[in-house]
Amino acid sequence: MDDVVIAGVGIHPFGRFDTGYREIGAVAARGALADAGICLGDLDMVLVANVGAEMAKGQNVLELVGRPGVPVFNVEAACASSAGTLTMAAELIEAGVHDAILCLGVEKAPKGFIAGAGFEGWQIESGLGITPLYFALAAQELIETTDATIEDLADVSVKNHRHAVDNPDAMFRSEVTREQVLESRAVCPPLNLLMLCAPNEGAAAAVLVSRKFARERGLDATVRLRSVATVSRSADDWFVPAVSRQSARMTSLTARAATLAYERAGIGPDELDLVECQDTDAGSELWAYRDLGLCKPGEEAALLRSGATTIGGRIPVNPSGGLLSKGEPLGASGLGQVHEIVQQLRGRCGSRQVEGARVGAGHVLGAGHNASVVVMSRD
Amino acid sequence: MNRSGTIHAGGDLLSPGSAVRLNASFCRDCDRWEFPARTYCPTCDQEPTTGPLSPTAEVIGHSAVLHQPPGSLIDAPYPVALASFPEGVAVLGVVEDAEVGEVAIGDQVETVARLVGDSIEYAFRSRRSS
């Protein structure tokens, strides 16, 4: 992908707020437009990612921003909803159909376990309709089949919480110790509360434009979107909410999305300077190390222990603090990653800056079997 | 009555606690079972046949639900197993006769009928206590 510039990004902090989703979304949308230096009337299209709000949610948010008169489409793919907007916007611009598209993700998720994750009624009533179970089984598999330990799971959370101390948009900005994580309330063994992200509220947005549009309008074309690949369930994947999988064959949604994204970008995982990944739980971050090609299978814990994935290391993962610290506003989380990566590539992240960052990747993974990987670079 | 269709021959004669077999679909061309039974094979899109899975399975993963989930009619805490059937499909289920922490990888479980609300659904029972 050669022609897609991320000209501006905006964010509404992730947390808990008294305002509604419309106000939360409007803050991020206005922020992205102002950051890009364009107005709503310059857009060809608006794509809005959200999971839980009402009918015509994107249109309702925009009513607080302006009336562009262009198509506004709402996109839902669970925790990968944001990636849906990016995928469509980037492909429409790369194809020369449109020049300027606003991607907005917004969520005001209720507290507690994510309900309505696609489980059938009988699964919920039978006690099986609970998303952390799936992450617990994946974390257990990592512990059973590699040298990863429960302490490693805790240390992922410790790392990401430390990163978030310097992120004003994160929900949890206090450091935690390994002991605090291990002693936090058990949810689904081996996962404790501080190893799981909290669904919450927030919004993030990005303005995607063609290079020609950026040049003509004199916009900041520093950061380009080099590829985005989104995949859904194939025969041998297993994720929320499926009650079963093939015993022997199991494939990875994330690995498939990553392979496609790296191919399309002509950029390999060894060229990445930072990664924002879907740390729904601590084990998911370790799995992402493998599936994104940051390490060989079985070396996930070693990569973490080496300090490589901490800011200052070879390949910092979740320098924003990740979902474990920011919380997860489902529809906004992917664009939140884009916000972080763009600001990192621009060198604007202050004390959590990844020095010399030129290439970054974002990764989301959601219920209903959706995964996406996006690669961005600084020219 | 097994309203979800997860139990093979799940008619009115089912009673809680009785041994049952899960209702699955089988694609002959792909030599592949799917649970719950599907109207298509996810590998080749052909129409599979339906039939029962074996009565017992081996635990290949386990966890537990320690806090009452919204909508669950099973009282937490309870252990959950991912159990692999000889047909090559692994299924999630509550282990109804075990305490949290008692289920281990390698355990054998059997499928039994369990009353969930007003429907008969499946659960696992540890073979150690049967």
Side-chain angles (χ1 to χ4, degrees):
Chain A
M1 195 162 268
D2 196 40
D3 196 37
V4 183
V5 169
I6 305 181
V9 288
I11 197 161
H12 181 291
F14 293 5
R16 287 285 170 202
F17 308 98
D18 293 331
T19 45
Y21 82 91
R22 302 178 191 209
E23 288 79 7
I24 290 171
V27 168
R30 278 197 213 98
L33 292 167
D35 187 44
I38 66 171
C39 61
L40 210 53
D42 294 322
L43 298 171
D44 297 310
M45 180 178 280
V46 181
L47 297 171
V48 181
N50 172 273
V51 174
E54 64 196 314
M55 187 186 295
K57 41 234 181 171
Q59 289 83 346
N60 296 336
V61 172
L62 281 185
E63 187 61 19
L64 300 184
V65 183
R67 295 176 178 167
V70 299
V72 177
F73 294 120
N74 298 302
V75 179
E76 195 277 305
C79 299
S81 297
S82 271
T85 69
L86 283 175
T87 302
M88 286 184 273
E91 291 183 355
L92 286 168
I93 290 170
E94 182 76 6
V97 177
H98 288 317
D99 280 314
I101 299 175
L102 172 67
C103 296
L104 169 67
V106 57
E107 201 71 51
K108 193 172 174 71
K111 287 184 180 176
F113 296 134
I114 295 171
F119 297 109
E120 294 190 49
W122 70 266
Q123 284 176 277
I124 295 169
E125 293 182 351
S126 298
L128 301 171
I130 167 174
T131 54
L133 260 182
Y134 291 71
F135 303 117
L137 287 161
Q140 181 189 58
E141 184 182 345
L142 201 69
I143 289 170
E144 290 288 328
T145 57
T146 74
D147 69 343
T149 64
I150 194 161
E151 286 78 16
D152 293 314
L153 296 180
D155 288 349
V156 170
S157 184
V158 170
K159 169 184 75 72
N160 289 355
H161 278 86
R162 190 186 307 134
H163 287 173
V165 168
D166 293 321
N167 184 355
D169 299 315
M171 185 176 188
F172 303 109
R173 297 184 60 198
S174 303
E175 290 201 46
V176 296
T177 64
R178 178 193 278 184
E179 290 67 34
Q180 283 174 312
V181 179
L182 293 174
E183 289 165 11
S184 65
R185 193 172 76 146
V187 177
C188 288
L191 299 178
N192 293 350
L193 194 61
L194 288 177
M195 297 175 187
L196 286 156
C197 80
N200 65 352
E201 306 167 21
V207 174
L208 273 56
V209 302
S210 66
R211 292 176 96 173
K212 176 169 165 284
F213 184 90
R215 194 168 52 243
E216 286 174 358
R217 297 293 301 268
L219 308 184
D220 178 3
T222 310
V223 177
R224 280 198 294 145
L225 194 157
R226 300 296 298 277
S227 72
V228 52
T230 300
V231 302
S232 67
R233 190 179 196 187
S234 70
D236 295 333
D237 294 324
W238 189 50
F239 201 69
V240 179
V243 76
S244 76
R245 66 171 175 88
Q246 297 294 294
S247 302
R249 297 181 289 264
M250 196 155 88
T251 50
S252 162
L253 287 149
T254 295
R256 203 160 59 251
T259 301
L260 278 172
Y262 295 148
E263 267 176 27
R264 291 174 185 171
I267 289 171
D270 51 337
E271 296 171 76
L272 300 177
D273 298 312
L274 75 140
V275 168
E276 286 277 308
C277 78
Q278 177 91 29
D279 56 335
T280 304
D281 69 294
S284 292
E285 177 166 319
L286 294 176
W287 276 109
Y289 292 176
R290 175 191 303 197
D291 291 338
L292 294 173
L294 308 184
C295 70
K296 295 192 182 106
E299 296 181 358
E300 300 81 7
L303 187 71
L304 174 76
R305 293 174 200 151
S306 75
T309 57
T310 303
I311 293 175
R314 179 172 59 76
I315 174 71
V317 176
N318 288 322
S320 68
L323 306 180
L324 285 170
S325 311
K326 290 189 294 187
E328 192 190 12
L330 286 72
S333 57
L335 279 156
Q337 295 177 341
V338 170
H339 178 273
E340 175 72 11
I341 295 165
V342 167
Q343 298 294 45
Q344 288 282 355
L345 298 179
R346 289 167 164 178
R348 292 189 193 166
C349 284
S351 46
R352 68 174 197 286
Q353 179 64 42
V354 176
E355 289 306 321
R358 300 196 67 84
V359 185
H363 156 251
V364 288
L365 177 63
H369 297 74
N370 294 287
S372 183
V373 172
V374 57
V375 179
M376 287 167 263
S377 73
R378 170 197 176 91
D379 274 344
Chain B
M1 183 71 187
N2 168 234
R3 281 205 303 270
S4 63
T6 52
I7 296 174
H8 189 68
D12 294 332
L13 298 178
L14 289 175
S15 59
S18 60
V20 295
R21 294 170 75 169
L22 298 184
N23 192 45
S25 55
F26 176 66
C27 176
R28 195 175 301 274
D29 288 349
C30 299
D31 189 26
R32 178 185 172 111
W33 287 85
E34 287 281 332
F35 172 81
R38 315 209 158 266
T39 54
Y40 62 91
C41 169
T43 303
C44 73
D45 283 336
Q46 299 297 307
E47 193 176 324
T49 58
T50 56
L53 293 179
S54 296
T56 61
E58 180 180 333
V59 174
I60 61 170
H62 58 85
S63 182
V65 175
L66 302 182
H67 310 283
Q68 192 65 26
S72 171
L73 302 180
I74 308 296
D75 290 334
Y78 50 85
V80 174
L82 179 66
S84 174
F85 287 82
E87 288 81 6
V89 62
V91 177
L92 268 183
V94 172
V95 187
E96 66 165 18
D97 64 334
E99 300 295 325
V100 170
E102 283 185 350
V103 179
I105 289 173
D107 283 358
Q108 296 290 314
V109 291
E110 60 181 347
T111 41
V112 295
R114 178 172 191 172
L115 189 63
V116 176
D118 58 357
S119 181
I120 296 276
E121 299 297 340
Y122 76 88
F124 294 140
R125 179 182 292 164
S126 166
R127 290 203 75 199
R128 286 176 299 188
S129 60
S130 62

